[in-house]
Amino acid sequence: MSYEERTPGSKALFERACRHIPGGATYSIRYFEPYPLYIRRARGSRVWDVDGNEYIDFWMVHFAAILGHGYEPVVQAVRDQLQYGAHLGFCNEWEVEWSESVCKWFGAEKVKPANSGTEANMYALRLARAYTKRRKVGKVFGGWHGGSDDLHEAVSYPYDKPASLGLPSMRDVVLLPFNDLEGAAKAVRGKELACIIVEPMLGSAGAIPAQVGFLKGLREICDRTGSLLVFDEVVTGFRHPGGLQRYFGVRPDLTTLGKAVGGQYFGGAGGFCGSSEIMDLLDQTKRTKFWERSFLGGTYTGNALTMRAGHAVISELQRRKEEVYPLVDSLGERARKGIAEVFNENHFEAYVTGLGSMFGLHVTKEMPMDGESASRTKDVILHKDLFDHMVRNGVAYMTPQSPHMAISFAHTREDIDKFVALTEEFVRAYPERKSVG
Ligand SMILES: Cc1ncc(COP(=O)(O)O)c(C=O)c1O
């Protein structure tokens, strides 16, 4: 059955949505042609659309849901909290619990919550500027840190156009290549940066891990030049115990967070942590005048529901880390290995990337090492066809253009094997895409 035949309910909703929502979708990345899927229900590793079709979900709430959809202890904590009130508007006990669990997870001294990953990065940048008394910030080509004015730059290849209309023209962003230490060193030379912000694994560019030498090199550059190193661990912070900073053994000055840190699916997910020396620039008791401190805050910041849900997720990950990470990492390995074998055995020119519980497929002519090599030779049509094949066969992910996947504690070997089998079916339907050699 075609996508259209399977999903009349989604089509009808999209037509209605277009009347009042620009482009018919609340977040443009959730749109794909001819219309997006409208999901009604989620449980474990599965989602169901409004027409009742079931999908194995590899998008997992924008990679947030490491424990799986509807994970009972977290849902139970939220249910319990609702009896008392979701947001109480005052300080609450759960922000204290949350702060302790985040600091323990990352070995940080202080943390502040924010309402999204975008907001976390925006405020972290401001703090870095306040701390260093410098204006310019460094970000990598192909890095995605949310849509704040400062960082919404050089997101999509070929990076030669503004990433959005309406951005202020004078921004203090210095762009550097990913996984190219020499290039990065050259780009930042003499720039006096407040900070360099980088994802330890590029997420939206397609699950492309940093090389450890690159991160270590950035650490050295920052130490030498008096800049702060900021790791955006919005995606990766809870995909490895202690985040990818612990996996790579490179310590940033600030770590920005989102997604799982706010409970995976209870909204308002963000925050950042670091040493007291830096974080105390946010301390209103030590810096009593507003012009002496860096600002962060908002109506929903630190609300009890999000804090409690976030705390429940982190506590569960702490408690069950010997079960969760070996499982999700081995499933990731199984997927990467299985897909690579499919590509090799069928001489299909494509690559698989990723680390731990994330993997990315790239129908490209070169191994993706950064945003540019993931895009330069990308076969856009085949990416779309692959997506269509998966969705018609009960596998869902985002986005057609960037098939990068997140595995959760609820996924099984059978889920992975189905993905690999569908990849093989797809690859066999394209015998003309032979790899050279
Ligand atoms: C690495 C990274 N940083 C920041 C963000 C922005 O987070 P949010 O969408 O919660 O604003 C995202 C979102 O996908 C992300 O992947």
Side-chain angles (χ1 to χ4, degrees):
M1 259 209 277
S2 72
Y3 179 70
E4 281 90 336
E5 281 162 343
R6 283 165 56 89
T7 58
S10 285
K11 181 168 196 249
L13 280 170
F14 182 64
E15 282 166 6
R16 270 175 65 198
C18 284
R19 288 187 215 130
H20 298 293
I21 302 173
T26 46
Y27 189 178
S28 57
I29 61 167
R30 297 192 190 128
Y31 170 79
F32 53 85
E33 286 173 348
Y35 50 84
L37 268 182
Y38 284 75
I39 298 296
R40 175 166 291 157
R41 192 162 71 85
R43 188 95 202 152
S45 64
R46 298 294 200 273
V47 290
W48 288 264
D49 69 17
V50 291
D51 293 293
N53 299 303
E54 179 177 315
Y55 304 86
I56 306 173
D57 184 10
F58 285 99
W59 177 227
M60 294 312 288
V61 197
H62 299 232
F63 309 148
I66 174 82
L67 286 167
H69 290 292
Y71 183 77
E72 198 46 40
V74 180
V75 173
Q76 192 48 46
V78 165
R79 264 196 219 109
D80 191 47
Q81 188 55 39
L82 288 176
Q83 300 175 61
Y84 300 102
H87 186 17
L88 312 166
F90 293 87
C91 289
N92 62 79
E93 60 203 288
W94 294 105
E95 65 195 50
V96 184
E97 299 277 355
W98 177 88
S99 68
E100 288 167 357
S101 54
V102 176
C103 284
K104 183 170 171 208
W105 188 260
F106 290 101
E109 288 176 325
K110 299 258 165 88
V111 63
K112 278 268 197 181
N115 291 310
S116 63
T118 302
E119 219 187 84
N121 283 324
M122 180 182 85
Y123 286 131
L125 234 62
R126 178 183 291 183
L127 179 62
R129 285 174 166 145
Y131 182 78
T132 57
K133 302 190 177 62
R134 297 173 174 182
R135 278 191 13 224
K136 291 193 183 111
V137 297
K139 107 168 248 300
V140 304
F141 287 98
W144 171 243
H145 306 288
S148 73
D149 280 358
D150 267 323
L151 291 169
H152 203 166
E153 170 130 1
V155 175
S156 306
Y157 182 78
Y159 316 119
D160 58 350
K161 302 267 190 306
S164 166
L165 280 180
L167 291 171
S169 58
M170 291 292 288
R171 282 181 299 159
D172 293 304
V173 183
V174 172
L175 294 167
L176 35 141
F178 186 71
N179 273 342
D180 167 6
L181 187 57
E182 218 175 287
K186 205 163 144 206
V188 306
R189 196 163 297 144
K191 292 292 195 307
E192 300 244 311
L193 300 179
C195 68
I196 294 176
I197 182 166
V198 66
E199 299 156 82
M201 170 158 61
L202 291 182
S204 87
I208 303 173
Q211 289 162 348
V212 63
F214 178 68
L215 296 179
K216 285 197 168 139
L218 290 186
R219 178 69 275 174
E220 279 164 28
I221 291 174
C222 287
D223 289 343
R224 205 170 52 241
T225 57
S227 309
L228 298 186
L229 180 62
V230 183
F231 278 179
D232 179 337
E233 293 234 46
V234 166
V235 168
T236 55
F238 296 93
R239 293 214 156 259
H240 188 271
L244 281 191
Q245 54 195 265
R246 187 162 319 150
Y247 175 85
F248 285 119
V250 182
R251 190 127 182 96
D253 299 296
L254 290 173
T255 303
T256 61
L257 303 164
K259 306 189 191 259
V261 84
Q264 309 184 110
Y265 20 65
F266 292 102
F272 56 88
C273 58
S275 65
S276 298
E277 186 188 330
I278 301 169
M279 294 295 288
D280 282 352
L281 279 181
L282 295 153
D283 182 337
Q284 78 289 342
T285 64
K286 294 191 177 126
R287 298 172 168 266
T288 55
K289 310 219 171 31
F290 65 83
W291 60 88
E292 292 173 339
R293 61 178 186 261
S294 189
F295 174 83
L296 174 157
T299 303
Y300 293 98
T301 310
N303 70 80
L305 192 74
T306 304
M307 295 292 93
R308 184 155 182 190
H311 169 66
V313 168
I314 303 166
S315 305
E316 280 295 291
L317 290 173
Q318 281 285 11
R319 188 175 73 81
R320 302 188 71 179
K321 63 174 174 251
E322 305 305 334
E323 294 166 77
V324 173
Y325 293 101
L327 179 83
V328 295
D329 291 356
S330 71
L331 293 180
E333 196 47 40
R334 188 178 181 88
R336 285 186 292 276
K337 200 161 160 269
I339 294 161
E341 272 169 23
V342 164
F343 290 160
N344 287 339
E345 280 165 15
N346 293 279
H347 305 290
F348 186 81
E349 195 173 25
Y351 297 88
V352 58
T353 58
L355 192 67
S357 55
M358 298 192 55
F359 63 100
L361 270 70
H362 303 264
V363 188
T364 51
K365 290 181 183 297
E366 56 190 321
M367 178 66 183
M369 296 299 292
D370 55 15
E372 189 169 347
S373 49
S375 310
R376 195 164 37 208
T377 60
K378 182 191 276 188
D379 191 321
V380 176
I381 308 274
L382 279 195
H383 275 237
K384 271 194 183 154
D385 289 354
L386 174 69
F387 181 78
D388 186 57
H389 177 68
M390 290 288 181
V391 170
R392 279 192 294 105
N393 287 286
V395 166
Y397 60 84
M398 288 279 160
T399 69
Q401 279 325 311
S402 199
H404 44 214
M405 322 288 157
I407 293 164
S408 78
F409 191 42
H411 283 82
T412 61
R413 278 171 161 227
E414 289 71 36
D415 293 340
I416 303 300
D417 292 350
K418 174 159 181 184
F419 189 97
V420 174
L422 285 174
T423 306
E424 177 143 40
E425 245 177 50
F426 174 77
V427 159
R428 292 211 165 142
Y430 285 90
E432 67 278 13
R433 190 179 169 89
K434 290 275 182 219
S435 56
V436 243

